[in-house]
Amino acid sequence: MSTEITSTPGAVATDAVVVATDLTKIYGEGDSEVRALDGVSVSFPKGQLAAVMGPSGSGKSTLMHILAGLDQPTSGSVLVDGTELAGLNDQKLTLLRRDKIGFVFQFFNLLPMLTAKENIELPMKIAGSTPDPEWQATLVEATGLGTRMTHKPAELSGGQQQRVAVARALLSKPAVIFGDEPTGNLDSKTSSEVLALLRRAVDEFGQTVIMVTHDASAAAIADRTLFLRDGKIVRDAGHLSAGEIFDTIKTME
């Protein structure tokens, strides 16, 4: 049995890591105007794995990009770890993304000339930071790739590459990790390995993960599933089975 999540409009969880208020994103104008987001308000508490779903064109990717500071809303506000994104210039926004946000993309985004270890460490080294050795060792253990750290991406499977990408996102202990179809380029077995790592990141490491996905099986690991249609959140539920997610998606088509 799923748990439906309800909240008072404008209410924000006291432990919220990401807060969006009345987000609107409009492309074009006049007859060609498209409302990719239409007054979306939502918050994500610390230590939650949330899946964002919806049909093509529903606004799910636009929502993630705005929450992550990769795009700007036409109106509305976003706070990440207490910082309002709208007031930041490009330099400060870049620093916030570096320090507060981790990313896991569909196509791994690993540098082919670097080893797995070097890829994991790269963002922190660029920032002039030194990884915590104990934390890094914990992440390497969690990936199950301890014997593969000296291998380059071409010598790793897709699932192994994505686990390296997850470890890279976790290394700086960001406030939130955004996953953009993190299993979209993987088969079912390797998808399960990556999803298990994301689940462990939340359950054992207290991480907050917001994952956009079209895969009902992937979303079924989440504590919470949000469904978008026509730029609006039409359902905000607790944990759902893959079957319940699939049935909800069917009613939205």
Side-chain angles (χ1 to χ4, degrees), residues 76-194:
S77 69
V78 175
L79 282 82
V80 175
D81 202 27
T83 299
E84 168 61 63
L85 301 192
L88 302 181
N89 59 29
D90 288 345
Q91 181 182 15
K92 289 182 178 178
L93 192 57
T94 297
L95 290 174
L96 179 133
R97 285 197 299 262
R98 186 192 75 187
D99 297 337
K100 301 286 189 179
I101 298 173
F103 294 98
V104 182
F105 299 99
Q106 181 174 351
F107 293 105
F108 320 141
N109 286 14
L110 303 181
L111 292 184
M113 74 290 296
L114 299 182
T115 65
K117 181 177 184 293
E118 290 166 340
N119 268 290
I120 290 171
E121 295 172 346
L122 183 63
M124 290 195 71
K125 289 201 169 180
I126 290 174
S129 303
T130 302
D132 175 347
E134 186 175 341
W135 174 236
Q136 185 169 350
T138 297
L139 292 179
V140 170
E141 183 277 328
T143 66
L145 297 175
T147 62
R148 311 288 285 178
M149 285 293 105
T150 59
H151 290 64
K152 294 180 178 178
E155 302 170 301
L156 302 174
S157 69
Q160 289 171 335
Q161 291 184 62
Q162 192 64 305
R163 280 181 276 158
V164 168
V166 174
R168 178 183 60 190
L170 285 165
L171 188 61
S172 65
K173 298 183 180 179
V176 58
I177 287 178
F178 289 97
D180 187 2
E181 299 282 3
T183 60
N185 199 37
L186 303 174
D187 61 37
S188 58
K189 179 180 182 298
T190 50
S191 291
S192 297
E193 294 170 351
V194 171

Side-chain angles (χ1 to χ4, degrees), residues 21-26 35 37-40 66 72-76:
T21 304
D22 201 21
L23 287 183
T24 299
K25 181 66 176 181
I26 299 173
R35 285 183 172 260
L37 293 178
D38 192 5
V40 171
I66 290 175
Q72 295 182 342
T74 303
S75 62

